[in-house]
Amino acid sequence: MSTEPETTALAEAIASAGRIALFTGAGISTESGIPDFRSPGGIWTRKTSILFQDFLDSEEARQEAWRRRFEGDAAMRAARPNRGHRAVEALVRRGRARAVVTQNIDGLHQQSGLDAAQVIELHGNTTYAACLECDTRHEMDEMRAAFEAGGRSPRCRRCLGLVKTATVSFGQPMPEAAMRRAREEAQAAELFIVLGSSLVVYPAAALPVLAVQNGARLAIVNREPTPMDEIADIVVRRPIGEAFGDAVGVN
Ligand code: NAD
């Protein structure tokens, strides 16, 4: 166990809390080799995002979206859950948290051993694709083969609708059921733990505030300061794997 005081405070808060809510962002996956958006040198500093409306309106935007997705495919496929994901999985397995609420789209919480139902995905999942008309699931290999063969953005094999990675793009509606479950998690928590989020993307970033308004203690584990540090009871500015792994007692 680390003797660093904030990590010790986090360990004590975890040990004494009733129900715990876990909320993760891109920062939990950087130690698995997937870059985040807003760290110095992160994806955001290099590329602007493709808005949902542009994807709908423009073949050029769709092709650019698919090119970017396939560019990142090798890193995504090679990524394995790290100590931070394992600590999250352990808290759920031990019954200390019911689920993890995640902004991530990489599927690493599921890979760490959680059931799909225990991972509340607010921004969808980029490891597969879905038709925007009929919601039919499409696998990445099929999408890549279609894109490379035709040089055009792939279409649904069932209804010929537009297909997009199963993620929530900027300008696209949030998934209602996932948002509802996430709010329930925040409202029921005695301790709300943020792991690796800059807490600037809304509505996801409103969840810690909701938890605090409902009487939860708030702990934030993030390398850089966040706008919510001032309402947090515990702020740990150390790498998640190390700090959260120590606090939960997982290697
Ligand atoms: P963000 O990039 O805005 O913030 C990540 C935060 O994590 C940063 O403040 C950074 O300081 C911190 N961080 C990075 N590595 C860390 C580490 N090892 N230990 C401690 N802190 C660390 O991420 P966000 O708040 O999740 O918002 C970005 C949006 O981008 C999300 O909506 C998400 O859907 C998407 N995104 C997802 C992935 C993924 O699935 N892995 C990757 C990039 C972006």
Side-chain angles (χ1 to χ4, degrees):
M1 174 69 64
S2 165
T3 51
E4 202 256 341
E6 284 77 22
T7 309
T8 306
L10 179 60
E12 286 168 2
I14 291 170
S16 63
R19 188 151 155 195
I20 297 171
L22 300 166
F23 177 72
T24 64
I28 198 172
S29 295
T30 57
E31 292 168 47
S32 296
I34 301 177
D36 63 9
F37 267 181
R38 291 179 185 77
S39 282
I43 299 168
W44 205 252
T45 57
R46 291 178 280 128
K47 283 178 185 153
T48 54
S49 59
I50 296 168
L51 304 179
F52 185 54
Q53 196 58 46
D54 293 337
F55 188 93
L56 295 179
D57 291 346
S58 151
E59 172 62 18
E60 206 177 307
R62 290 193 284 277
Q63 290 192 14
E64 175 61 14
W66 283 111
R67 263 193 301 274
R68 287 186 192 180
R69 174 61 187 84
F70 298 137
E71 254 170 44
D73 202 41
M76 193 62 77
R77 283 179 197 243
R80 295 291 170 264
N82 65 54
R83 203 175 162 203
H85 296 102
R86 289 195 290 278
V88 165
E89 190 273 339
L91 285 183
V92 176
R93 183 166 27 86
R94 292 173 195 165
R96 306 301 315 287
R98 279 204 198 165
V100 58
V101 178
T102 189
Q103 299 176 90
N104 292 350
I105 54 177
D106 55 30
L108 288 179
H109 286 302
Q110 291 89 328
Q111 250 196 67
S112 77
L114 293 180
D115 291 340
Q118 294 169 320
V119 184
I120 303 172
E121 290 177 324
L122 298 181
H123 297 159
N125 192 308
T126 194
T127 64
Y128 60 94
C131 173
L132 292 174
E133 300 293 331
C134 71
D135 208 33
T136 296
R137 176 176 167 137
H138 292 66
E139 302 307 324
M140 258 333 131
D141 287 343
E142 182 192 343
M143 295 295 92
R144 187 171 200 147
F147 185 57
E148 286 174 358
R152 311 256 319 148
S153 64
R155 293 287 172 146
C156 176
R157 78 179 99 78
R158 260 187 65 198
C159 75
L160 295 181
L162 292 177
V163 179
K164 189 173 91 57
T165 56
T167 51
V168 180
S169 300
F170 282 102
Q172 193 170 2
M174 293 291 286
E176 272 174 38
M179 273 310 289
R180 191 176 53 247
R181 282 188 70 198
R183 285 197 200 96
E184 283 165 12
E185 285 299 316
Q187 282 165 330
E190 276 182 28
L191 174 65
F192 189 101
I193 306 176
V194 176
L195 299 162
S197 174
S198 57
L199 295 176
V200 296
V201 180
Y202 281 81
L207 292 167
V209 179
L210 182 63
V212 169
Q213 283 167 346
N214 279 270
R217 300 186 77 204
L218 175 62
I220 298 177
V221 186
N222 205 63
R223 224 161 36 191
E224 288 164 281
T226 81
M228 295 193 191
D229 289 0
E230 56 193 56
I231 60 161
D233 298 277
I234 300 166
V235 176
V236 185
R237 295 222 179 103
R238 288 176 58 211
I240 294 164
E242 201 179 289
F244 195 55
D246 282 353
V248 175
V250 160
N251 285 312

